[in-house]
Amino acid sequence: QVQLVESGGGLAQAGASLSLSCAASGPTLSSVVMGWFRQAPGKERELVASISPTGGRVYYTDAVKGRFTISTDSGKTTLWLHLNSLKPEDTAVYYCAAGVGTIATMIPRYWGQGTQVTVSS
């Protein structure tokens, strides 16, 4: 069983930066893909960024490439998402997830509780 607890997020102006963190625990962290999803009002939940089990490969959806950075510590006990150059369209609930599949087609098996990011123009 993997447990994920997010922190961070909040309100920011366009162009500003925020950081999200996810405290992870469980016996299989070294073998799972970890990532961040987001869900905006009225939209489906989408994969934003993910990192391979070894941490050697990362994936970003086109909308955040060059602006967001995903990273983890060596033990994969903490997952971060650094959000730079924020845009109003980044407003969403952000979820930490752990699962299987490739970094581009991650299938979540475990979810965090979600944290709100709101970007004002």
Side-chain angles (χ1 to χ4, degrees), residues 34-94:
M34 298 188 73
W36 291 93
F37 287 73
R38 68 184 179 186
Q39 187 166 21
K43 295 188 177 181
E44 293 186 355
R45 194 172 297 188
E46 64 170 345
L47 176 62
V48 175
S50 61
I51 190 165
S52 63
T54 62
R57 291 177 291 117
V58 295
Y59 164 85
Y60 298 98
T61 192
D62 287 346
V64 308
K65 281 181 181 177
R67 300 189 298 120
F68 291 9
T69 302
I70 188 171
S71 62
T72 183
D73 61 355
S74 58
K76 297 184 71 177
T77 58
T78 306
L79 182 72
W80 292 279
L81 185 68
H82 300 290
L83 300 75
N84 298 316
S85 302
L86 282 164
K87 303 177 180 180
E89 51 264 43
D90 294 321
T91 295
V93 178
Y94 284 72

Side-chain angles (χ1 to χ4, degrees), residues 6-47:
E6 297 124 341
S7 60
L11 178 63
Q13 290 189 331
S17 299
L18 284 174
S19 291
L20 309 180
S21 63
C22 173
S25 61
T28 59
L29 289 177
S30 61
S31 62
V32 297
V33 178
M34 298 188 73
W36 291 93
F37 287 73
R38 68 184 179 186
Q39 187 166 21
K43 295 188 177 181
E44 293 186 355
R45 194 172 297 188
E46 64 170 345
L47 176 62

